[in-house]
């Protein structure tokens, strides 16, 4: 079964608390998405392998560490994942970026794919899929299925808020994917929204509602 980490860091809890407030402005919300994503990525990247590298400081030769082996790739699920990707890129600026466009059909709640563009060497990279909300799990499962069909194997999934229903489904469908969650909420409502949640992440980031 996959490894699931629910963040208990005070900074993450504090910032997600501000995001939940309905009067938080679009700008502040957007900034917080990137900040919290960066903090979650800090944990999600903890087990990346290191290698030694010989360098010269201004004084002497020495050995330092650098991230070894596979290169990195962040894959935001559009639209709302974009600002999480910005946070990840602040810490790993050389990571490549793939995009998967999915939206939830408002009636069926099923994900509809409309875009996919990945780096040509994505299968050789460690992949961090990012999306603020894991609700029914449909979008995350569809995105990860699509990546696996393209030969991508090492996948981590990062979200700000998850519902227990979506987390269970994601673990059943993709037990090999490690999941990093900012906050695990209570449940879904009858419209597939997370409670207490923060509303529609895409609309709050882009001010579209
Ligand atoms: C939101 C969110 C996830 C999805 C989660 O996106 O960003 O992608 O819903 O729901 P699920 O777990 O039930 O699939 P949305 O479909 O609203 O699209 P948007 O990002 O373009 O607003
Ligand atoms: N998508 C969102 O943006 N918010 C939810 O609560 C559920 C799905």
């Amino acid at each position: 079964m996959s490894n699931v980490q629910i963040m208990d860091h005070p900074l993450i809890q504090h910032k997600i608390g501000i995001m939940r407030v309905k009067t938080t402005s679009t700008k502040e919300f957007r900034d917080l998405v990137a900040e919290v994503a960066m903090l979650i990525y800090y944990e999600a990247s903890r087990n990346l392998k290191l290698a030694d590298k010989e360098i010269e400081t201004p004084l002497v030769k020495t050995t330092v560490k650098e991230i070894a082996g596979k290169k990195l790739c962040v894959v935001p699920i559009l639209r709302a994942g974009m600002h999480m990707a910005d946070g990840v890129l602040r810490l790993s600026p050389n990571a490549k970026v793939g995009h998967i466009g999915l939206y939830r059909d408002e009636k069926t709640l099923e994900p509809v794919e409309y875009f996919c563009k990945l780096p040509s060497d994505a299968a050789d990279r460690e992949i961090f899929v990012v999306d603020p909300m894991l609700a029914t799990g449909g979008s995350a499962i569809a995105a990860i299925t699509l990546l696996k069909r393209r030969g991508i194997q090492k996948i981590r999934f990062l979200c700000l808020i998850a519902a227990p229903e979506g987390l269970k489904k994601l673990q059943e469908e993709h037990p090999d994917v490690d999941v990093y969650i900012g906050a695990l909420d209570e449940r879904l409502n009858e419209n597939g929204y997370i409670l207490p949640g923060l509303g529609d992440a895409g609309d709050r980031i882009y001010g579209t509602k």
Side-chain angles (χ1 to χ4, degrees), residues 2 20 24 37 39 49 56 64 67 70 82 94-95 102 112 124 127 153 155 168 173 179 197 207:
S2 62
R20 293 185 192 277
T24 295
L39 294 169
K49 303 253 178 319
E56 276 182 51
V64 295
I67 307 274
K70 287 189 171 183
M82 291 282 289
N94 294 324
L102 291 174
V112 181
D124 301 326
I127 305 282
Q153 287 176 4
I155 301 172
K168 182 166 176 284
E173 296 285 331
V179 183

Side-chain angles (χ1 to χ4, degrees), residues 41 43-50 66-76 88-89 92 94-98 118-119 121-130 147 151-158 176-178 180:
Y41 176 66
E43 286 300 333
S45 57
R46 187 176 285 281
N47 54 10
L48 290 177
K49 303 253 178 319
L50 291 172
E66 67 174 4
I67 307 274
K70 287 189 171 183
K71 299 294 181 208
L72 310 177
C73 177
V74 55
V75 179
V88 170
L89 289 169
S92 290
N94 294 324
K96 286 198 176 172
V97 183
L118 301 171
D121 61 353
D124 301 326
R125 291 175 177 266
E126 302 226 21
I127 305 282
F128 294 81
V129 178
V130 295
L147 293 172
I152 293 164
Q153 287 176 4
K154 185 67 194 156
I155 301 172
R156 298 172 180 81
F157 179 76
L158 283 61
D176 54 313
V177 171
D178 291 340
Y180 300 86

Side-chain angles (χ1 to χ4, degrees), residues 77-80 102-104 131-139 200 202:
I77 301 179
L78 306 180
R79 295 174 292 170
L102 291 174
Y103 68 88
R104 268 197 336 176
D131 190 333
M133 309 304 274
L134 179 68
T136 65
S139 303
D200 186 303

Side-chain angles (χ1 to χ4, degrees), residues 159-177:
C159 66
L160 305 185
I161 296 186
E165 297 91 327
L167 175 59
K168 182 166 176 284
K169 216 166 136 199
L170 177 59
Q171 285 191 287
E172 284 165 3
E173 296 285 331
H174 295 298
D176 54 313
V177 171

